[in-house]
């Protein structure tokens, strides 16, 4: 059974190699090759999952060492795999949702001449993400971490003929490198503290390490998570990443890249449990980001960028829950999985709408599409109900649990975090209702494209609608199945642990409060967009609206702090170099040169000058001798 773990990574990696190196003869069959290999990886994961279910909860971990990677003296780094309940959850999510996105891409990318390369990149993305979650040590995890960064760069910039896509890919790559520095520093600190970077010894030895060291490791791990999961302050790349093909947006935002940070924090739970200050930083980042992303999502007219803001916000919920420690680890992963279903469905639905609207992304130019695209409307609508937490759907079960855990933190902090989570739920209901109304309801606001061709909305082909239908089922039923007899909580407990908090409010009160804010958000959106005509051109809006349209000035802040700050730092260093460093060097040279010039006058080559010098010296000696005798 353990030998199958390596095949999880090897199968999509083989697909990437074949598709990228196979040449044009594979152009027609490449989409199906890539999709079948992704599906095969899912089948292998399902077989491993079935095998794990046949064991007791404490005996479900599988592990294998493939080979010794870097044996140097006492230093040893292995290529080893570990499959436990946490990594198994990610394996099924990555391969399951990833396979559906591959299938969807067959229809979406049907007319793209470079689709063979596209599917090769998709397979590479799956392989890197799978390596990340099945690695048994932080160094091998880092290899998968960097592989995900490379694959995201290639996919976001896939349409590199568009300057905006090329710029977005570079931005995502560079911003993520900042976080990657944090992970590399964390690995170095682990090695100097524990003498290893294998999960077992590091996490088991965390309780024996000093709190200061654990805090330092936790903070740089959080920096790494902020980069991959687009959390404040490294969130600026996520909205621009929408320049990639829509299946890429679905893959990055639902099942792979942005979930890596949540996995890293949850996997490293023992480190954060021993570092309260680092845990507080995690909770703060999650709370700030869930509001930040929600506010940005309210002001976007681009349907994909509105969903990107939503992703940022929902990942914020997961980070917040992970920062709560054993109270929230399992709920963070539960929301991650349910989010994987409904967010993938929402992005694929957005791609279906674009497919029928001549690639138009401005929701102000949609309207009335529900009768033209019924399957898209229903599946997108179910995803919408799930994400806002409508009773009985997946988001209701997972998000409410996070809100309950936030209140269970206790004290003033618990009230602040719980209130923030409730406010985020209200804003989520508002902006997602806005997306639904602008896209599927109201009057037609269709406009011709750049070539003057009017849109002819129609339902997408089955290769696109079937994955949307499957994901819609997950959006509806996954949360309820996970909550049945606390099945998901019990599944993860051997890895993440669980602790009951002392909440000042009951679960019923949290549910009631969530329903109130949900319906307030829906009502506000309906009053603003459902009852009044929607202008095709967005009104100017107030200061907050204009700031939200510009992503709450995140790029402006980065420009001022990093770009201009870097320019001023560079100028200061140049000035220091020219005035101080060069001044010292040039001043020393000038002093030596001046002294040499004066001394050179004593060695002019004239005998009369030397005779005068000798006579003067002799006279001084005689005078000194006579003076000493007289005294």
């Amino acid at each position: 059974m353990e030998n199958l773990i390596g095949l999880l990574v090897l199968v999509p990696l083989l697909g990437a190699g074949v598709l990228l190196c196979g040449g044009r003869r594979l152009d027609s069959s490449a989409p199906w090759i890539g999709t079948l290999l992704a599906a095969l990886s899912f089948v292998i994961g399902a077989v491993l999952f079935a095998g794990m279910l046949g064991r007791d909860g404490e005996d479900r971990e599988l592990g294998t060492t493939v080979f010794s990677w870097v044996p140097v003296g006492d230093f040893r780094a292995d290529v080893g795999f570990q499959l436990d309940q946490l990594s198994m959850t990610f394996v099924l999510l990555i391969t399951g949702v990833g396979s559906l996105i591959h299938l969807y891409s067959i229809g979406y990318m049907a007319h793209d001449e470079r689709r063979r390369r596209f599917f090769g990149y998709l397979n590479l993305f799956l392989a890197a993400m799978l390596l990340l979650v099945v690695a048994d040590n932080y160094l091998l995890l880092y290899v998968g971490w960097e592989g995900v960064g490379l694959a995201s760069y290639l996919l976001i910039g896939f349409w590199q003929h568009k300057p905006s896509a090329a710029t977005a890919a570079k931005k995502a790559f560079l911003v993520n490198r900042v976080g990657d520095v944090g992970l590399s520093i964390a690995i170095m600190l682990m090695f100097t503290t524990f003498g290893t970077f294998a999960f077992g010894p590091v996490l088991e030895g965390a309780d024996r390490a000093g709190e200061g060291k654990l805090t330092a490791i936790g903070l740089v791990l959080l920096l790494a998570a902020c980069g991959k999961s687009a959390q404040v302050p490294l969130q600026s790349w996520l909205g621009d990443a929408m320049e990639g093909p829509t299946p890429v947006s679905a893959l990055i935002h639902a099942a792979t890249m942005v979930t890596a940070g949540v996995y890293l924090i949850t996997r490293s739970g023992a480190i954060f449990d021993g570092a309260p200050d680092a845990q507080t930083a995690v909770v703060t980042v999650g709370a700030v980001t869930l509001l930040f992303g929600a506010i940005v999502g309210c002001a976007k007219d681009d349907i994909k960028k509105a969903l990107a803001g939503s992703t940022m916000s929902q990942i914020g919920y997961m980070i917040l829950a992970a920062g709560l420690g054993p109270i929230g680890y399992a709920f963070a992963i539960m929301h991650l999985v349910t989010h994987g279903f409904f967010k993938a469905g929402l992005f694929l639905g957005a791609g279906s709408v674009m497919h029928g609207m001549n690639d138009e992304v401005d929701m102000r130019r949609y309207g009335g599409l529900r009768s033209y695209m019924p399957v898209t409307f229903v599946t997108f609508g179910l995803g919408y109900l799930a994400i806002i937490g409508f009773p009985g759907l997946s988001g209701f079960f997972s998000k409410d649990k996070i809100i309950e855990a936030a209140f269970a933190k206790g004290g003033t902090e618990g009230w602040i975090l719980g209130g923030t989570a409730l406010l985020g739920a209200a804003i989520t209901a508002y902006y997602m209702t806005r997306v639904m109304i602008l896209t599927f309801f109201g009057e037609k606001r269709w406009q011709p494209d750049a070539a003057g061709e009017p849109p002819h909305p129609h339902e997408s082909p089955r290769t696109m609608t079937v994955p949307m239908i499957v994901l819609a089922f997950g959006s509806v039923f996954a949360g309820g199945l996970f909550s049945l007899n606390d099945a998901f909580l019990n599944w993860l407990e051997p890895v993440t642990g669980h602790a009951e908090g002392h909440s000042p409010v009951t679960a019923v009160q949290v549910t009631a409060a969530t329903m109130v804010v949900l319906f307030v958000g829906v009502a506000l959106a309906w009053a603003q967009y459902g009852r009044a005509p929607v202008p095709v051109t967005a009104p100017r809006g107030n200061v907050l609206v204009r700031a939200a349209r510009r992503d709450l000035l995140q790029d402006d802040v980065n420009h001022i702090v990093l770009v201009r700050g870097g320019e001023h730092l560079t100028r200061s260093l140049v000035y220091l170099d020219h005035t101080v460093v060069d001044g010292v060097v040039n001043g020393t040279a000038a002093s030596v040169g001046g002294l040499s010039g004066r001394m050179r006058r004593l060695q002019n080559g004239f005998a009369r000058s030397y005779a005068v010098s000798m006579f003067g010296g002799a006279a001084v000696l005689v005078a000194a001798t006579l003076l000493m005798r007289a005294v």
Side-chain angles (χ1 to χ4, degrees), residues 283 286-288 290-291 294 317 320 324 399-400 402-428 503-505 510 513-514 517:
V283 167
V288 170
L290 78 85
L291 290 181
Y317 273 102
L320 186 153
L324 297 173
K399 191 188 295 183
D400 272 24
I402 293 177
I403 297 174
E404 289 177 30
F407 278 113
K409 183 71 173 176
T412 303
E413 186 180 0
W415 283 104
I416 293 174
L417 294 175
T420 300
L422 277 176
L423 179 58
I427 302 174
T428 301
S503 178
V505 295
V510 169
T514 305
V517 299

Side-chain angles (χ1 to χ4, degrees), residues 199-534:
F199 290 153
V202 169
L203 300 178
E204 292 169 5
D207 58 349
R208 297 188 297 274
E211 183 177 323
K213 290 183 178 179
L214 293 180
T215 299
I217 295 172
L219 290 176
V220 288
L221 285 175
L222 173 60
L223 178 64
C226 286
K228 277 290 183 287
S229 294
Q231 300 293 284
V232 172
L234 300 179
Q235 79 285 7
S236 62
W237 66 270
L238 195 66
D240 292 345
M242 297 303 98
E243 292 294 335
T246 300
V248 174
S249 304
L251 190 62
I252 289 176
H253 286 245
T256 54
M257 186 169 177
V258 295
T259 65
V262 183
Y263 172 79
L264 180 66
I265 293 175
T266 306
R267 174 62 74 187
S268 309
I271 294 173
F272 287 96
D273 292 342
D277 291 340
Q279 269 191 336
T280 300
V282 173
V283 167
T284 303
V285 166
V288 170
T289 307
L290 78 85
L291 290 181
F292 189 104
I295 293 171
V296 168
C298 291
K300 293 296 185 182
D301 293 327
D302 183 320
I303 187 171
K304 290 174 65 177
K305 290 192 175 183
L307 295 177
S310 168
T311 296
M312 194 186 304
S313 178
Q314 297 304 308
I315 298 294
Y317 273 102
M318 301 170 205
I319 296 292
L320 186 153
L324 297 173
I327 300 175
Y329 288 137
F331 299 140
I333 303 303
M334 180 177 174
H335 191 53
L336 185 150
V337 176
T338 60
H339 176 265
F341 287 115
F342 57 69
K343 184 51 63 65
L346 288 170
F347 266 110
L348 297 188
S352 180
V353 170
M354 292 167 56
H355 181 78
M357 293 293 290
N358 295 347
D359 289 328
E360 178 64 67
V361 295
D362 190 343
M363 294 184 292
R364 292 182 178 274
R365 300 189 174 198
Y366 292 163
L369 292 177
R370 65 185 186 279
S371 58
Y372 294 87
M373 309 180 73
V375 176
T376 300
F377 168 64
V378 172
T379 54
F380 193 98
L382 291 173
Y384 152 72
L385 293 175
I387 194 174
I388 68 172
F390 191 83
L393 275 72
S394 292
F396 168 78
F397 293 99
S398 58
K399 191 188 295 183
D400 272 24
K401 288 296 185 182
I402 293 177
I403 297 174
E404 289 177 30
F407 278 113
K409 183 71 173 176
T412 303
E413 186 180 0
W415 283 104
I416 293 174
L417 294 175
T420 300
L422 277 176
L423 179 58
I427 302 174
T428 301
Y430 172 81
Y431 70 73
M432 285 306 304
T433 302
R434 174 179 179 267
V435 170
M436 279 297 296
I437 292 172
L438 290 179
T439 304
F440 295 103
F441 294 91
E443 299 294 328
K444 302 174 185 177
R445 301 179 301 276
W446 309 345
Q447 301 289 321
D449 60 17
E453 180 70 23
H456 300 284
H458 56 279
E459 193 55 86
S460 299
R462 288 186 179 180
T463 53
M464 296 172 66
T465 56
V466 168
M468 292 157 55
I469 293 170
V470 175
L471 291 169
F473 272 96
S475 301
V476 174
F477 298 111
L481 291 175
F482 293 162
S483 299
L484 192 64
N485 296 322
D486 290 329
F488 196 80
L489 185 66
N490 295 332
W491 164 257
L492 283 181
E493 189 169 3
V495 181
T496 62
H498 182 65
E500 293 291 340
H502 302 287
S503 178
V505 295
T506 65
V508 174
Q509 290 172 324
V510 169
T511 299
T514 305
M515 291 302 97
V516 170
V517 299
L518 184 155
F519 287 113
V520 168
V522 171
L524 288 174
W526 177 257
Q528 186 172 357
Y529 296 98
R531 300 180 59 184
V534 177

Side-chain angles (χ1 to χ4, degrees), residues 572-589:
S572 300
L573 292 174
V574 170
Y575 177 80
L576 179 68
D577 182 56
H578 286 172
T579 57
V580 179
V581 178
D582 287 355
V584 171
V585 174
N586 295 337
T588 302

Side-chain angles (χ1 to χ4, degrees), residues 232 235 288-289 291-297 299-300 312 543-558:
V232 172
Q235 79 285 7
V288 170
T289 307
L291 290 181
F292 189 104
I295 293 171
V296 168
K300 293 296 185 182
M312 194 186 304
V543 174
L544 178 59
V545 171
R546 295 198 298 273
R549 286 175 184 159
R550 295 179 62 181
D551 301 325
L552 291 180
L553 309 180
Q554 56 185 341
D555 284 332
D556 301 81
V557 171
N558 288 342

Side-chain angles (χ1 to χ4, degrees), residues 67-84:
F67 62 89
S68 183
W69 180 16
V70 188
V72 180
D74 295 333
F75 176 83
R76 182 182 178 88
D78 293 331
V79 172
F81 300 133
Q82 169 184 305
L83 195 65
D84 56 17

